[in-house]
Amino acid sequence: MRVHVIGNVCVDTTFRLDRFPAAGETLNASEHSDGLGGKGANQAVAAARTGADVRFRAAIGNDAAGAWIREQLSRDLDVRHLATLPLPSDRSTIIVDARGENLVVTGASCATAFDPLADSGFVRSIERLDIMVMQGNLHPDATTACLRAARASGALTIFNPSPLAAGHAPPLSAVSFAVANAGEAAQLTGASDPAAAVRELIRQGAGAAIVTLGADGCLVADGEGRIEQIAAPRVAVVDTSGAGDVFCGCLAGCLADGMDLAAAARIAVRAAAISVGRAGTLESCPDRREMKMLMETTEAEKA
């Protein structure tokens, strides 16, 4: 069973400030740094660190940044499926305040131009019971087409609708597991209450749904609408950027390992809790040793 992550990859520039600037205001950052990022790359690396067999597909530019991205990704992933486009590589600017909250702006030329189905071998590589993971960075038509192709091949699909483009969410009938934070779930469903939102995601067609709640863990709903709340460990928050990606990638890897949804979500919540206690996006993701320990500890608790 493979995990196919389809999405974006970019260079992240992170600025740390005591507070977010007001409109028209200039602030000096206490520190800044460049790193590898992009929701697709973050989720693919998190899944790979669970031990899953991951195939990552994304687009990079034909520039120095693209070459750097390829080299950095090769530390965790097979980079043979990266497409190179005649565009500048994607970039994100992340602003993190003293509370660990973040604001993110992304230039996504490569992501929006990327058509994974242009590779005729892509669909043939998807096998029954594989898992496909997608986010909201690609063109909505490409996202919908990939999810439908995966379902037609008998694969399971995980859709994380972030960033969420108004009016452009794919039909949830092509989604096995919808994973959204409380704000995204409210936008998709019109329900501000997370419990109502997670049920509405299933009513709209998702096979199962998870609404993540930050420090409060997550709500998991199966296809019958039964809801379980999974608590998160209490940690000192340093930086929340990338935590949702750690959750989604870890969830996919654990499902590929044969765990049920609730068990996979418990490990994903704990992995995300580790990430918010560290600075950075991809840099904050638990490494392979930490992921293995989380998986073994959670399985032992279940026994």
Side-chain angles (χ1 to χ4, degrees):
M1 179 184 293
R2 292 176 178 169
V3 177
H4 304 265
V5 181
I6 319 301
N8 72 322
V9 59
C10 64
V11 178
D12 282 347
T13 299
T14 301
F15 295 89
R16 299 188 179 281
L17 304 94
D18 289 336
R19 61 177 177 82
F20 295 133
E25 182 181 20
T26 299
L27 296 177
N28 287 331
S30 59
E31 59 179 286
H32 67 279
S33 61
D34 288 337
L36 188 67
K39 295 188 70 63
N42 296 342
Q43 294 181 15
V45 169
R49 289 182 180 178
T50 68
D53 181 3
V54 176
R55 298 290 182 269
F56 177 50
R57 294 178 185 269
I60 56 176
N62 58 346
D63 53 12
W68 182 84
I69 288 170
R70 184 182 293 274
E71 189 275 329
Q72 294 294 309
L73 271 181
S74 67
R75 299 175 182 181
D76 283 280
L77 299 168
D78 181 347
V79 296
R80 289 178 296 174
H81 302 295
L82 292 178
T84 301
L85 303 181
L87 294 166
S89 294
D90 293 349
R91 292 180 176 270
S92 288
T93 296
I94 304 169
I95 302 175
V96 182
D97 71 5
R99 301 168 298 168
E101 295 298 326
N102 66 84
L103 298 175
V104 183
V105 178
T106 297
S109 299
C110 284
T112 54
F114 180 45
D115 178 10
L117 297 183
D119 178 359
S120 60
F122 170 43
V123 174
R124 292 196 301 272
S125 72
I126 304 171
E127 299 180 354
R128 184 175 178 274
L129 298 183
D130 279 358
I131 296 174
M132 179 184 285
V133 184
M134 299 198 72
Q135 317 80 38
N137 283 292
L138 304 188
H139 190 282
D141 291 344
T143 300
T144 298
C146 286
L147 290 171
R148 286 176 169 166
R151 294 298 288 145
S153 297
L156 302 172
T157 56
I158 298 175
F159 178 53
N160 173 220
S162 178
L164 183 60
H168 293 291
L172 294 185
S173 58
V175 175
S176 306
F177 308 100
V179 182
N181 65 31
E184 294 155 356
Q187 291 182 63
L188 283 169
T189 65
S192 58
D193 174 59
V198 77
R199 288 193 179 96
E200 178 61 17
L201 289 171
I202 291 174
R203 194 198 68 78
Q204 291 182 12
I210 295 177
V211 173
T212 58
L213 305 171
D216 293 324
C218 68
L219 293 180
V220 179
D222 63 18
E224 302 301 320
R226 293 184 292 263
I227 296 178
E228 178 179 353
Q229 179 155 7
I230 296 173
R234 296 300 172 190
V235 296
V237 176
V238 173
D239 183 352
T240 59
S241 56
D245 297 335
V246 170
F247 181 96
C248 285
C250 182
L251 182 80
C254 290
L255 290 172
D257 193 51
M259 298 183 194
D260 62 38
L261 182 60
R266 287 189 188 93
I267 296 170
V269 161
R270 295 176 181 185
I274 290 174
S275 76
V276 301
R278 300 170 174 171
T281 48
L282 190 54
E283 306 98 303
S284 69
C285 181
D287 61 25
R288 290 176 182 267
R289 179 186 61 82
E290 291 170 319
M291 285 289 198
K292 182 178 180 181
M293 289 180 63
L294 283 175
M295 295 167 74
E296 289 176 347
T297 300
T298 304
E299 285 293 282
E301 292 173 353
K302 182 178 177 182

